[in-house]
Amino acid sequence: MKNGTSLTESLGQSPFYSGVYISLLEVGEQTGTLDVIFGDISQRSKVEFEAWTTKMTTLLEPLMILFMGGVVGSVVVIMLLSMVSINGAGF
């Protein structure tokens, strides 16, 4: 932007913005409604992030349940093995 290029040209070189967002920004620059466009982009990004977070949580829940079941199961097995070994001591 220091060289006099437009906002969309500068942001288009960045890997963080998709083509849809760059197109929206280009329209906003041409019409002079960048504030509305930035609001729309932030809303879309928020919805995408919430959808991604929901998917990741849905995928991780069963794995967490299996992990916790394994931890609790191993504690129970260790307790039962220690009781069996005490009974076999033969006082």
Side-chain angles (χ1 to χ4, degrees), residues 1 12 14 19 26 28-29 34-36 38-39 43 50-51 53 56 61 67 71-72 76 84 86-87 89:
M1 292 190 61
S14 173
E26 187 174 10
E29 266 186 327
L34 276 176
D35 56 339
V36 176
F38 279 129
Q43 184 65 29
E50 287 175 352
T53 307
M56 291 307 293
E61 279 180 12
F67 176 74
V71 169
V72 170
V76 168
V84 168
I86 289 174
N87 286 337

Side-chain angles (χ1 to χ4, degrees), residues 12-30:
Q13 297 172 357
S14 173
F16 299 114
Y17 299 99
S18 68
V20 175
Y21 294 157
I22 299 298
S23 298
L24 284 171
L25 284 172
E26 187 174 10
V27 170
E29 266 186 327
Q30 292 171 356

Side-chain angles (χ1 to χ4, degrees), residues 2 16 18 34 38-40 43 45 52 72 77-78 81 91:
K2 289 181 181 180
F16 299 114
S18 68
L34 276 176
F38 279 129
D40 185 37
Q43 184 65 29
S45 297
W52 179 81
V72 170
V77 167
I78 290 170
L81 287 175
F91 288 108

